[in-house]
């Protein structure tokens, strides 16, 4: 299980992003913007790497077809879609993440080298007396090129430093370049000609023949340092990407009858079609989740720092109820044939698209519990739960609000916050001003100085994507403010629409009232909350 946490994504010359564009990641990232502005491109960079690592042939450096990202060639993914040429400079993708490394195990793999010699040659002073565990901050930058229609890696740049030390000590750097016949490796700008490079798709592995390179030589020390500083984090990155969960905007229409899954389900699919089978197969398995924030009748936030352990089916019903879906969900077995999912007496295929689109969102959030299907049988707060998890789940969801009622879309903000508080890192691409407005409302309602106010201010960010007339996209990143605003950059043409329309209606009503004759008939509309009822949206 991966111990890594993704902290930053940078893309250059990738689709609509021409210049290097960097996205620092927080536990809850909300991506907004106009259609065709480039919102999905951010997620596609991760999906492209994930589908490449899932390819069995390790010599495939970038898998372009038959995945969540599908392209005929590298030029299709390169900004401006350059015309065919013998050589085309392709995208550059860079990831930054942090990992917790077991230095004792790494030193054993390096055959317990002389620590002082290791620290001096690697230029990493703390390796003289390394702690048992250390948090490493790493980056991996991969530059692609197309030569005569073939996709290749032009350069790989990897860096590593102990978290917090990059201002005090130089960052250790491995530069691997392709001279079109072999790989050339440099360690901190020094040629490492005795170190061999093997690629696991785009992830580099350094190897050395210990029979030919003695323990007192510098390149041997470099390789030993690699086993501590780079190899464990790179392994974490591979696991992190392979375990990255994604639910796309286009979800399949649920059938009336499902076939049971014949094997364990590790991913519900981009269309969410395997969510029902996951629920059926694992409905009695335990998952852990934080009760979503609620509000009392006066609008005051009610936050319970308590992790709930429940069977998956019960957890789904609980979250649905929190989202204001009161109709109970049940799994009906049909002997020797399959099963049905029913809300009340109606099968999922007959209750409208809303619930069919919403259910995979709820199931995915619960399934990405790092302690899923493990019984703890004890009450836990967030800190205790985090200590038990040892890892973070990464997931991206596109348009979770599709086909659902505005009130449910607002309540999704509560659910996503509860997930992000409980060891999930979420990237949410949305067009819903209701969802974003509720996030603003949560921080505005939070008690000044409270735990939840501080968390919302520090861990929720709004990524606004826009595109100019030349087809180049850019991002503006803002945090929420204590008053419920969006700090640095107010998203253009997003939440303004409803506010401006309400204002227009108000003034138009005043004008119309003034122009009406005294004896005209007027229709009086009573104002108030929309009745919730038991109707299924």
């Amino acid at each position: 299980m991966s111990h890594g946490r993704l902290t930053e994504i940078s893309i250059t010359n990738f689709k609509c992003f021409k210049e290097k564009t960097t996205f620092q990641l927080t536990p809850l990232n909300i991506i907004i913007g106009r259609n065709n502005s480039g919102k999905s491109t951010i997620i596609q960079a991760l999906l492209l790497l994930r589908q490449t690592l899932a390819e069995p042939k390790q010599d495939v450096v970038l898998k372009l077809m038959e995945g969540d990202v599908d392209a005929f060639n590298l030029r299709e993914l390169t900004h401006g879609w350059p015309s065919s040429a013998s050589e085309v400079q392709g995208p550059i993708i860079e990831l930054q993440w942090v990992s917790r490394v077991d230095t004792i195990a790494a030193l054993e793999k390096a055959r317990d080298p002389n620590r002082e010699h290791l620290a001096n040659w690697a230029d990493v002073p703390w390796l003289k007396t390394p702690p048992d565990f250390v948090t490493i901050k790493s980056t991996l930058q991969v530059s692609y090129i197309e030569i005569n229609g073939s996709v290749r890696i032009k350069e790989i740049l990897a860096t590593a430093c102990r978290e917090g030390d990059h201002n005090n000590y130089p960052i250790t750097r491995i530069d691997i370049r392709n001279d079109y016949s072999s790989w050339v490796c440099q360690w901190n700008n020094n040629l490492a000609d005795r170190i061999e490079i093997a690629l696991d798709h785009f992830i580099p592995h350094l190897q050395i023949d210990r029979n030919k390179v003695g323990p007192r030589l510098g390149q041997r020390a470099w390789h030993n340092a690699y086993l501590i500083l780079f190899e464990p984090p790179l392994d974490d990155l591979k696991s992190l990407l392979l375990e990255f969960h994604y639910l796309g905007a286009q979800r399949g229409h649920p059938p009336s009858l499902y076939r049971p899954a014949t094997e364990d389900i590790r991913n519900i699919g981009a269309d969410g079609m395997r969510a029902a089978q996951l629920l059926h197969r694992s409905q009695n398995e335990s998952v852990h989740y934080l009760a979503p924030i609620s509000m009392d009748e006066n609008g005051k936030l009610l936050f319970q720092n308590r992790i709930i352990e429940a069977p998956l089916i019960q957890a789904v019903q609980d979250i649905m109820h929190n989202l204001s879906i009161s109709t109970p969900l049940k799994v009906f077995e049909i002997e020797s044939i399959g099963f049905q999912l029913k809300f009340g007496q109606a099968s999922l295929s007959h209750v409208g698209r809303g619930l069919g689109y919403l259910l995979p969102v709820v199931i995915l959030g619960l399934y990405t519990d790092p302690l899923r299907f493990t019984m703890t049988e004890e009450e836990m707060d967030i800190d205790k739960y985090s200590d038990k998890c040892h890892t973070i789940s990464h997931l991206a969801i596109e348009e979770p609000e599709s086909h659902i009622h505005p009130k449910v879309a607002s309540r999704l903000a509560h659910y996503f916050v509860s997930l992000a508080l409980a060891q999930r890192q979420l990237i949410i691409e949305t067009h819903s001003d209701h969802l974003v407005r509720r996030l603003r409302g949560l921080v505005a309602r939070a008690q000044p100085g409270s735990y939840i106010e501080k968390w919302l201010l520090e861990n929720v960010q709004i990524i606004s994507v826009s595109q100019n007339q030349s087809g180049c996209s850019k991002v503006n990143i803002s945090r929420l403010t204590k008053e419920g605003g969006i700090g640095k950059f107010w998203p253009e043409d997003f939440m303004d629409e409803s506010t401006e329309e309400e204002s227009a209606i108000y003034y138009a009503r005043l004008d119309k009232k003034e122009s009406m004759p005294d004896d005209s008939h007027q229709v009086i509309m009573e104002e108030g909350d929309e009745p919730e009822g038991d109707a299924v949206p």
Side-chain angles (χ1 to χ4, degrees):
M1 184 174 287
S2 170
H3 288 221
R5 177 172 62 85
L6 197 61
T7 57
E8 191 174 283
I9 306 171
S10 295
I11 50 180
T12 308
N13 204 30
F14 183 55
K15 299 187 74 172
C16 55
F17 289 93
K18 181 180 181 181
E19 305 299 330
K20 182 176 181 179
T21 306
T22 299
F23 313 87
Q24 293 183 343
L25 297 177
T26 59
L28 181 53
N29 306 273
I30 307 295
I31 305 176
I32 60 176
R34 293 181 178 180
N35 296 106
N36 197 38
S37 61
K39 300 187 302 300
S40 298
T41 302
I42 302 169
I43 298 172
Q44 287 175 0
L46 296 173
L47 295 177
L48 191 61
L49 299 181
R50 184 185 73 168
Q51 70 190 39
T52 300
L53 287 173
E55 165 62 40
K57 296 180 180 179
Q58 290 187 333
D59 59 345
V60 176
V61 296
L62 194 66
K63 184 175 180 179
L64 298 178
M65 301 181 71
E66 299 177 353
D68 293 318
V69 181
D70 192 59
F72 286 107
N73 49 50
L74 187 66
R75 287 177 285 113
E76 192 175 342
L77 299 176
T78 302
H79 179 76
W81 206 328
S83 58
S84 179
S86 60
E87 184 172 305
V88 176
Q89 301 296 322
I92 301 173
I93 302 176
E94 180 179 332
L95 302 180
Q96 182 185 99
W97 71 104
V98 293
S99 291
R100 188 167 184 261
V101 174
D102 183 341
T103 56
I104 295 177
L107 285 166
E108 287 179 356
K109 189 170 184 178
R111 301 181 186 180
D112 196 21
N114 180 285
R115 311 292 172 84
E116 186 169 353
H117 178 71
L118 174 65
N120 290 336
W121 271 103
D123 197 20
V124 182
W126 61 264
L127 285 177
K128 291 181 181 179
T129 55
D132 293 347
F133 292 91
V134 63
T135 299
I136 299 293
K137 181 180 179 181
S138 307
T139 66
L140 180 70
Q141 181 188 97
V142 185
S143 303
Y144 287 97
I145 189 170
E146 182 179 289
I147 300 177
N148 296 323
S150 177
V151 180
R152 299 184 185 182
I153 292 175
K154 180 180 180 181
E155 182 179 16
I156 300 173
L157 174 63
T159 67
C161 69
R162 187 169 63 172
E163 188 176 42
D165 279 357
H166 54 281
N167 292 326
N168 301 320
Y169 300 116
I171 296 174
T172 307
R173 171 181 173 132
I174 300 173
D175 196 347
I176 302 171
R177 297 179 182 177
N178 191 342
D179 66 357
Y180 307 115
S181 60
S182 61
W183 292 100
V184 177
C185 178
Q186 291 185 337
W187 181 280
N188 283 343
N189 297 319
N190 298 303
L191 181 63
D193 56 352
R194 296 194 181 188
I195 294 179
E196 299 176 352
I197 298 99
L199 286 187
D200 180 359
H201 301 289
F202 54 84
I203 294 180
H205 293 284
L206 272 54
Q207 302 170 345
I208 199 166
D209 187 341
R210 291 175 177 268
N211 294 321
K212 296 180 180 180
V213 183
R216 303 298 298 178
L217 294 180
Q219 294 198 40
R220 176 77 164 263
W222 294 345
H223 185 261
N224 288 336
Y226 158 81
L227 294 176
I228 302 169
L229 300 174
F230 289 92
E231 187 175 70
L234 287 170
D235 288 343
D236 278 349
L237 177 64
K238 181 177 180 179
S239 296
L240 184 157
L241 289 171
L242 284 172
E243 295 167 9
F244 176 64
H245 295 269
Y246 167 66
L247 181 61
Q250 297 296 324
R251 280 158 241 165
H253 185 69
S256 296
L257 183 66
Y258 291 90
R259 293 179 179 176
T262 57
E263 58 185 14
D264 287 337
I265 297 174
R266 298 183 59 85
N267 198 305
I268 67 172
D271 59 0
M273 287 301 289
R274 304 199 74 191
Q277 290 177 313
L278 171 63
L279 178 60
H280 172 257
R281 185 179 180 88
S282 304
Q283 58 184 301
N284 296 316
E285 299 282 355
S286 293
V287 292
H288 306 81
Y289 61 100
L290 184 70
I293 300 170
S294 59
M295 295 183 290
D296 63 17
E297 58 185 12
N298 297 316
K300 181 181 178 181
L301 291 190
L302 302 176
F303 172 63
Q304 298 180 359
N305 183 2
R306 183 172 66 90
I307 298 294
I308 300 170
E309 179 180 308
L312 178 59
I313 183 67
Q314 181 181 324
V316 170
Q317 291 173 339
D318 185 24
I319 296 301
M320 283 291 194
H321 182 75
N322 273 279
L323 294 173
S324 76
I325 306 297
S326 56
T327 308
L329 170 67
K330 295 182 180 179
V331 178
F332 284 85
E333 300 286 348
I334 301 177
E335 188 175 356
S336 302
I337 298 178
F339 68 95
Q340 284 186 314
L341 292 185
K342 288 189 175 183
F343 281 91
Q345 298 302 313
S347 67
L348 188 57
S349 61
H350 291 121
V351 295
R353 285 183 177 269
L355 291 183
Y357 269 56
L358 179 62
L359 187 60
V361 175
V362 173
I363 292 175
L364 179 59
L366 294 168
Y367 175 71
T368 49
D369 162 33
L371 294 181
R372 64 177 177 266
F373 309 159
T374 301
M375 295 186 65
T376 58
E377 297 182 342
E378 58 180 316
E379 291 284 331
M380 288 185 289
D381 60 18
I382 293 173
D383 291 337
K384 188 173 183 180
Y385 170 78
S386 300
D387 290 341
K388 283 182 172 292
C389 288
H390 304 300
T391 188
I392 290 176
S393 296
H394 297 73
L395 60 154
I397 303 175
E398 292 185 336
E399 298 183 30
E401 74 280 0
S402 292
H403 298 288
I404 64 173
H405 190 279
K407 183 173 184 178
V408 182
S410 295
R411 293 285 184 90
L412 279 174
H414 299 237
Y415 183 44
F416 292 149
V417 167
S418 72
L419 293 175
L421 277 160
Q423 295 296 100
R424 280 84 151 176
Q425 182 162 277
L426 296 93
I427 302 175
I428 306 296
E429 185 265 307
T430 181
H431 291 110
S432 174
D433 64 332
H434 300 286
L435 193 160
V436 176
R437 198 181 301 273
R438 179 54 60 89
L439 286 171
R440 295 169 53 206
L442 290 177
V443 71
R445 291 179 176 94
Q447 289 294 314
S450 64
Y451 171 86
I452 194 62
E453 183 198 54
K454 183 179 179 182
W455 188 93
L456 289 167
L457 294 173
E458 294 178 354
N459 296 288
V460 178
Q461 70 176 1
I462 309 297
I463 303 172
S464 180
V465 185
S466 60
Q467 190 174 110
N468 61 27
Q469 292 182 348
S470 62
C472 295
S473 294
K474 67 173 184 177
V475 300
N476 290 315
I477 299 177
S478 297
R479 299 293 179 93
L480 301 175
T481 67
K482 294 180 179 181
E483 297 78 18
I486 295 179
K488 196 172 181 181
F489 300 99
W490 184 264
E492 182 181 2
D493 295 335
F494 189 71
M495 286 169 292
D496 298 334
E497 287 297 307
S498 59
T499 303
E500 291 173 0
E501 188 64 19
E502 286 294 335
S503 179
I505 291 170
Y506 173 77
Y507 287 110
R509 184 171 60 183
L510 291 180
D511 292 341
K512 184 173 288 187
K513 184 177 180 180
E514 290 176 0
S515 65
M516 283 182 178
D518 294 338
D519 59 349
S520 63
H521 297 285
Q522 298 185 35
V523 178
I524 300 175
M525 302 292 292
E526 293 185 2
E527 296 185 356
D529 294 336
E530 180 183 9
E532 292 190 27
D534 295 326
V536 177

